[in-house]
Amino acid sequence: MKKTNKEKVKEFIRVDHAGERGAVKIYEGQLLALNTFVKDENLKKKIEEMKIHEKEHCEYFENEIKKRNIKPTKFLPLWDLLGVGLGFGSTILGKKAAMLCTASVEEVIDEHYLNQINTLENDEKKLKEKIIKFREDELHHKDIAYKEGATKKGMYSILDKLIKTGSKIAINISEKI
């Protein structure tokens, strides 16, 4: 049986923990904007529903970090701050921007999780199954975002590129540090 490189597994868990926690923080920022400046009960309900999945994902990776004695990324406090800021800022820009935030992040995560799924061997079957399930949840969130008005037209294309670039940078850093 082929074995998965243990250093890769540590990187996967570290970065996935940071990413799922970041997703929770983005939704917290969006909900903060929706509870203070932007009144949209339908959008608030959708975000609250998606946040439940992200919390489940985050808790799984939090447990894996503890169980496997893996150090989380040193950048968690910065990612927390940036996540809340991104969520809040995108929602202040309006529903299309808030939903584009979700769609853009999920498109990066789709590719990220797919790469992990293709790397994990049978010795990490349970981890692989969880990542497959979480990827399905993320794809569902992306579909919701587009259904709710996410767009890359006009100036939104710039926001899409900024969010995707920031997400990829956070992934690369969190894997290693």
Side-chain angles (χ1 to χ4, degrees):
M1 175 169 67
K2 283 181 76 176
K3 296 223 180 245
T4 310
N5 178 311
K6 291 300 166 198
E7 287 307 308
K8 276 284 177 210
V9 172
K10 285 181 182 179
E11 287 178 9
F12 290 174
I13 292 170
R14 180 183 307 109
V15 71
D16 292 353
H17 170 254
E20 296 297 350
R21 182 164 153 164
V24 170
K25 295 299 178 185
I26 289 169
Y27 288 134
E28 286 176 0
Q30 290 181 327
L31 291 169
L32 179 63
L34 287 163
N35 287 324
T36 53
F37 297 107
V38 181
K39 298 300 178 198
D40 185 333
E41 287 303 314
N42 182 46
L43 181 58
K44 183 177 166 183
K45 184 176 175 234
K46 296 272 186 222
I47 289 171
E48 287 170 339
E49 289 170 10
M50 291 187 289
K51 183 181 168 197
I52 290 168
H53 290 142
E54 303 301 353
K55 284 183 87 168
E56 173 196 331
H57 303 175
C58 186
E59 286 169 12
Y60 173 78
F61 287 115
E62 186 81 38
N63 290 333
E64 288 297 302
I65 283 226
K66 290 174 187 166
K67 184 171 81 178
R68 296 177 190 237
N69 199 25
I70 298 169
K71 287 190 183 345
T73 178
K74 292 180 169 127
F75 284 82
L76 275 181
L78 179 60
W79 298 159
D80 287 352
L81 184 64
L82 292 173
V84 171
L86 177 59
F88 187 86
S90 64
T91 305
I92 292 295
L93 292 174
K95 183 177 181 179
K96 285 182 181 180
M99 289 292 91
L100 178 62
C101 179
T102 294
S104 299
V105 169
E106 300 302 19
E107 286 171 5
V108 171
I109 298 311
D110 171 29
E111 186 179 316
H112 171 73
Y113 274 164
L114 192 56
N115 288 335
Q116 289 183 356
I117 291 163
N118 291 333
T119 302
L120 291 167
E121 300 292 344
N122 285 337
D123 64 322
E124 289 291 346
K125 189 175 179 172
K126 187 175 179 191
L127 177 61
K128 187 174 188 170
E129 287 170 356
K130 281 292 188 181
I131 293 173
I132 289 169
K133 186 231 183 265
F134 295 166
R135 179 175 174 259
E136 289 169 3
D137 291 344
E138 308 300 4
L139 290 171
H140 180 63
H141 296 168
K142 181 186 77 166
D143 292 343
I144 290 169
Y146 281 114
K147 197 168 97 181
E148 290 295 317
T151 182
K152 295 179 187 178
K153 292 180 182 164
M155 296 297 281
Y156 292 105
S157 67
I158 296 168
L159 183 60
D160 175 59
K161 285 177 181 60
L162 284 170
I163 292 168
K164 285 181 174 175
T165 300
S167 297
K168 289 174 184 176
I169 290 169
I171 287 169
N172 289 333
I173 290 171
S174 295
E175 282 177 338
K176 304 295 181 194
I177 303 172

